[in-house]
Amino acid sequence: MVMTSIIQKIIPHYSLARWLLCSGSLRWYLHPTEEELRILAGKQQKGKSKKDRKYNGHIENKPLTIPKDINLHLETKSITEIDALALHYFPEYQWLVDFTVAATVVYLITEAYYTWMKPSQEMNISIVWCFLVLAFAMYPFKVFWNFC
């Protein structure tokens, strides 16, 4: 009960999973705008021709084709917490990592207690926390197995 209360109060503010993803080591590429692609491809925007004025601009536009050998440099940006929230399984990942950390803390504290106090009539509850972590870690494999 104590650890679940701690998880509920501390994890929204301090999360190991969020720190692992958003500490600056992961980056994503910003895609270029269409205008930047036009400039790199050497295709400038044309003004309105007589045909465009005749049909009042309702002519199908051809898609912009870009050659493969242009010199395109993409800018990178570090992943932030807002970016991570958009990831598909981020809440499950965050919960699993944070629960595993909490279970590890409970395991270490109870093992230290059983080592120093040597109680004989009490059941070692830390093993239950280890089994819970294993069960929760196996659940994503079951979900992914059903997709295959």
Side-chain angles (χ1 to χ4, degrees):
M1 289 297 281
V2 173
M3 188 50 74
T4 56
S5 179
I6 290 173
I7 290 172
Q8 182 182 8
K9 301 294 182 192
I10 291 180
I11 296 304
H13 305 289
Y14 304 103
S15 172
L16 177 67
R18 197 174 336 124
W19 179 79
L20 286 173
L21 281 182
C22 304
S23 64
S25 59
L26 286 179
R27 306 179 85 59
W28 61 284
Y29 290 98
L30 299 170
H31 61 83
T33 63
E34 189 171 324
E35 188 60 37
E36 290 172 349
L37 288 174
R38 283 184 194 278
I39 291 170
L40 288 172
K43 298 179 180 181
Q44 298 298 327
Q45 186 84 8
K46 296 179 183 177
K48 286 193 171 189
S49 64
K50 290 182 182 180
K51 194 183 253 187
D52 290 341
R53 282 181 263 155
K54 179 180 177 184
Y55 292 109
N56 202 15
H58 294 289
I59 295 178
E60 291 185 28
N61 293 330
K62 294 180 182 176
L64 177 65
T65 55
I66 305 295
K68 294 180 184 178
D69 61 346
I70 62 172
N71 190 12
L72 178 64
H73 296 285
L74 298 176
E75 295 178 29
T76 60
K77 180 183 171 191
S78 293
I79 291 179
T80 62
E81 184 180 344
I82 302 297
D83 300 328
L85 288 175
L87 297 175
H88 190 61
Y89 288 111
F90 178 71
E92 290 84 359
Y93 160 77
Q94 182 179 7
W95 185 87
L96 182 62
V97 169
D98 293 337
F99 182 80
T100 303
V101 168
T104 304
V105 168
V106 168
Y107 176 77
L108 293 174
I109 290 172
T110 54
E111 286 300 315
Y113 171 75
Y114 279 96
T115 301
W116 290 320
M117 298 299 174
K118 298 185 187 336
S120 60
Q121 300 296 328
E122 295 180 19
M123 183 183 130
N124 191 348
I125 197 75
S126 64
I127 302 300
V128 173
W129 281 83
C130 293
F131 284 134
L132 281 173
V133 169
L134 285 174
F136 290 142
M138 288 301 178
Y139 180 72
F141 290 116
K142 178 184 172 263
V143 170
F144 291 135
W145 187 263
N146 289 337
F147 284 130
C148 294

